[in-house]
Amino acid sequence: MEENLRKAEENMLKTTTKVINNAQRKGNYPKQFSMPLGVQYELTYDCNLKCKHCYNASGEKGQNTRMKVDDWVNLSKQLTNNGGIFQCIISGGEPLLLGKDLFRIMDILHKDDVSFVFITNGYLLTEELVNQLKKYRYYRFQVSIDSSNQNEHDEFRQKKGSWKRAVRGAYFASKAGLPLAIASSVTPQNLNNMEEMAELAYQIGASSLIFGKIMLSGRAAENKEFILNKEQVEEMDKNIIELRKKYNNRMSIEHSTTEIYQLKKSQSTPTDTVIVRPNGNVRLDCSAPFVIGNVLSNSFLDIWKNKASNCWKHPKIKEYIQSINEDTGESSMLTNHVDKDIYI
């Protein structure tokens, strides 16, 4: 078993890059995809919680969700009519706030056999709603629970009762047979309670538990007390390794990749995913503040073909990645989802 999770990321990056480069030289792997393999839909800025660490500061006043349901429907048709995608990440804000309109969007992709990753805070996740959602095919159905302690979670998410509702919603999802993943943010405050969090996830029926440090982005920039330092990250990694041994073959214990790993991987491999934001902007990555177009102004296909293929080689992106401190994740150039995005 890998004894150092960060070293494992480095080795994975080297291996992935080497394999893809070799395959490209032999003509067995494309240098440019005609369509993305996956697209993330950030369906709304709206959220029923106001989490202190929210990476894109969802729920803030003044944010304009320009993409209406019909716009998401049209985008989905563009994707399916031009070759399709393999996976769609459904997120927000809180996607369940769309109500029945959410099904209109997902149905189009579902008919094209798209697999979903669904990300929710679980507050609105009733048993009835889960039974409506279970018709879709999921790679992962993800509910955020940040602590085994109810009060700690509620204070972090700034909503009383949010822990109870998230736990209940997650249980309904596992009971319905969905591939439930619990995403849990690790902070200095709950670092010593990771084992209790793992036991809670296991009792709920999660097939996987994803621990991750908080990204210095969005609202987290105002709440830096929740950011792990280097020593605390090392402790988190050790805890994950021990929990993997304990829950071996019963529940997968994962760690979210660091933003620097994800950015370097994107630099080294053909562009294969993008994010569409609630204002229509096509963004390269959740941690990379770069926009290559807007689907309300241009067709997605034009944006993808004209901008996506070589965008990670852009000087501004190289400058941004080089500006990131690998220990803290902080950039000396700008703060993601705080400062303005850069249009390239």
Side-chain angles (χ1 to χ4, degrees), residues 201-218:
Y202 180 70
Q203 292 299 329
I204 292 172
S207 57
S208 61
L209 169 61
I210 309 163
F211 286 116
K213 71 184 185 71
I214 290 170
M215 180 168 61
L216 188 57
S217 172

Side-chain angles (χ1 to χ4, degrees), residues 241-283:
I241 290 169
E242 290 304 310
L243 288 170
R244 283 178 175 173
K245 295 174 183 176
K246 179 177 179 178
Y247 288 93
N248 184 35
N249 297 325
R250 294 192 294 158
M251 179 176 68
S252 172
I253 306 291
E254 304 175 28
H255 78 287
S256 58
T257 56
T258 59
E259 50 268 36
I260 192 67
Y261 163 80
Q262 190 59 46
L263 292 171
K264 286 183 176 180
K265 178 178 179 292
S266 297
Q267 268 193 314
S268 306
T269 57
T271 308
D272 56 9
T273 57
V274 289
I275 296 173
V276 181
R277 304 219 66 226
N279 61 1
N281 279 349
V282 179
R283 215 170 188 260

